[in-house]
Amino acid sequence: TWFSDVFANGGFDIVIGNPPYVSAVNMARSNDEKLLYKKLYPEATGAYDMYVLFLLLGARLSSNVYCWIIPNKLLVADYAKKSLSKLKDEYGLERSIDVSIYDVFKNACVYPIIVLGNKLSSSQFNSYYLDDYVDLTYNKLNKKKSVEESSKIRLSQLGLKVCSGATGFEAQKIKENVCEIENSHTIPFTVSGNIDRYVYNNTNVRYMKDKYDKAYIYLDSNITESKQYMWKNPKIVIAGMTKQIEACYVDSPLAIGVGVYAIYDFAGYDPFYILGVLNSKHTTEFLITEFSDKHLAGGYLAINKSTIEQFLFPKNVPIEIQQQIANIAKSIHFAKREDSSNDTRKEEMMIDNILDTLY
């Protein structure tokens, strides 16, 4: 009845809020609640956070302006894609303002943004950042740069296949198999913090609150066949928490944990060409520019499968140039395999210089 009265009177002129930041993992819902939310908010899909429902409802209740302070996940999370499109296309979402570096909520592990919508406006959506927190008072905003894509192609469009090392559920399940024993039934196991550019290790591995001097994992029925197949075959593994892209090629069996990702189908490309582009300055610059809303404390960026699939590669690269990049990347790979402390900056710069001419 209350909602009907609000809508009958044209809604509120302005809706402002700071909704609950409650993840789907921590939000116990009955089946009736799930069905109701699905009916009322079909755009909220997957393991969405509770703030998404508040944002959609607030936009509906507003006849004009709405403004919320919410987690930056709205701009980057897979579960928020449909909701974000709805807000942009139908509810006049105009801007987001990144305030995550200003410790808005003391001692809280959230990275907030302010979103502002005007249902009477036809303005395009843009993301902004601040030079100083006080600039918010004067609406002094800096527009975030977007990436020019005309000469580039998404990683997923190349036909490359990306997978996760382990989901949240699997992470706990496979922990039972992690050990420090090397034998014919185990293979090395690594995590994001043990992956560097062109090289990885499985020493001093921290996983699910435990530390392993040298980590291995038992291969038994607890591990799905598809997961074992991916672990045993050649792949490029990518760290999921990083300040720059950290990827390495692995041609021997290696198990990877939660927060690590793998390219396991190279679609006919030389894997070392893919590796060279991934570890280049261009891919890191793209990540920082395009996915700035994924940043965490300390300048780290959180990467997931969807993020990797959106990485940009140069279009229509001649085979001879691809091979040139692959050869350099391969030489770095073997130098790092021999000694991870080997200085390969000169070779890495050579790849960057080649790519400078392609982007």
Side-chain angles (χ1 to χ4, degrees):
T1 302
W2 179 78
F3 284 123
S4 300
D5 291 343
V6 170
F7 287 122
N9 289 288
F12 295 105
D13 293 330
I14 183 168
V15 175
I16 302 175
N18 173 23
Y21 299 177
V22 183
S23 72
V25 175
N26 299 321
M27 182 175 62
R29 294 171 291 172
S30 67
N31 286 331
D32 287 343
E33 287 175 313
K34 291 177 183 178
L35 290 172
L36 178 62
Y37 293 153
K38 187 174 182 179
K39 179 181 178 181
L40 295 175
Y41 312 101
E43 302 81 17
T45 58
Y48 61 84
D49 287 10
M50 196 67 174
Y51 74 84
V52 171
L53 305 186
F54 279 82
L55 188 50
L56 290 167
L57 176 59
R60 287 169 57 191
L61 290 175
S62 168
S63 63
N64 190 353
V65 175
Y66 58 90
C67 183
W68 297 85
I69 184 165
I70 56 173
N72 59 8
K73 292 179 182 178
L74 175 73
L75 302 181
V76 293
D78 288 341
Y79 68 69
K81 284 182 178 178
K82 290 185 178 180
S83 298
L84 184 59
S85 293
K86 177 86 170 183
L87 292 166
K88 289 178 180 178
D89 298 340
E90 298 184 31
Y91 294 145
L93 184 64
E94 286 189 332
R95 66 183 61 176
S96 71
I97 305 168
D98 188 351
V99 293
S100 60
I101 66 172
Y102 296 109
D103 198 19
V104 176
F105 301 109
K106 301 294 182 184
N107 303 316
C109 296
V110 292
Y111 304 92
I113 57 173
I114 296 169
V115 293
L116 178 68
N118 183 343
K119 294 173 77 171
L120 304 181
S121 170
S122 58
S123 298
Q124 267 195 326
F125 174 81
N126 287 296
S127 293
Y128 298 87
Y129 67 94
L130 305 170
D131 286 328
D132 191 285
Y133 193 52
V134 72
D135 291 342
L136 193 59
T137 306
Y138 306 103
N139 201 33
K140 185 181 175 183
L141 310 175
N142 299 305
K143 187 177 177 181
K144 291 185 178 180
K145 294 180 181 178
S146 58
V147 177
E148 172 58 49
E149 296 188 33
S150 60
S151 62
K152 306 174 185 71
I153 188 170
R154 298 284 180 181
L155 181 148
S156 59
Q157 293 175 301
L158 295 173
L160 305 176
K161 297 294 190 295
V162 184
C163 68
S164 305
T167 63
F169 170 75
E170 289 175 322
Q172 185 62 54
K173 184 179 179 182
I174 68 173
K175 187 178 186 299
E176 303 170 16
N177 291 53
V178 180
C179 64
E180 294 182 330
I181 301 168
E182 181 181 12
N183 60 34
S184 60
H185 300 292
T186 64
I187 62 173
F189 175 76
T190 197
V191 296
S192 182
N194 292 69
I195 297 169
D196 294 313
R197 292 156 66 85
Y198 293 99
V199 68
Y200 81 93
N201 68 74
N202 65 322
T203 59
N204 298 318
V205 171
R206 294 184 179 276
Y207 186 69
M208 305 290 286
K209 299 182 179 180
D210 285 334
K211 182 180 177 181
Y212 304 85
D213 291 336
K214 203 156 190 177
Y216 296 88
I217 193 164
Y218 274 106
L219 298 182
D220 60 16
S221 58
N222 203 32
I223 312 295
T224 64
E225 288 186 11
S226 60
K227 192 69 68 179
Q228 290 193 40
Y229 177 83
M230 186 269 287
W231 286 351
K232 290 177 180 179
N233 282 277
K235 54 193 167 288
I236 294 174
V237 296
I238 305 168
M241 188 76 69
T242 184
K243 292 184 178 180
Q244 62 178 353
I245 303 298
E246 294 176 314
C248 64
Y249 176 69
V250 183
D251 56 6
S252 57
L254 175 68
I256 53 179
V258 66
V260 185
Y261 302 88
I263 297 174
Y264 62 95
D265 183 337
F266 306 116
Y269 290 92
D270 188 318
F272 287 103
Y273 165 67
I274 303 300
L275 182 65
V277 177
L278 286 174
N279 281 329
S280 72
K281 69 176 183 182
H282 296 277
T283 307
T284 289
E285 287 171 358
F286 167 75
L287 176 67
I288 292 170
T289 302
E290 192 78 350
F291 294 97
S292 58
D293 294 293
K294 277 185 172 286
H295 75 74
L296 305 175
Y300 283 88
L301 288 152
I303 299 173
N304 60 23
K305 179 177 178 288
S306 177
T307 308
I308 295 169
E309 289 173 339
Q310 294 179 68
F311 285 170
L312 291 177
F313 275 58
K315 269 185 184 177
N316 305 320
V317 180
I319 293 296
E320 58 270 21
I321 301 298
Q322 292 185 32
Q323 198 56 56
Q324 189 179 357
I325 293 171
N327 290 340
I328 299 170
K330 188 179 292 185
S331 69
I332 299 170
H333 165 81
F334 283 113
K336 290 291 189 182
R337 177 184 282 187
E338 182 180 332
D339 185 342
S340 61
S341 65
N342 278 333
D343 187 352
T344 58
R345 285 176 294 180
K346 181 180 177 181
E347 290 80 4
E348 292 179 52
M349 192 176 296
M350 289 170 63
I351 293 177
D352 288 338
N353 290 340
I354 295 170
L355 290 172
D356 282 341
T357 68
L358 299 174
Y359 281 107

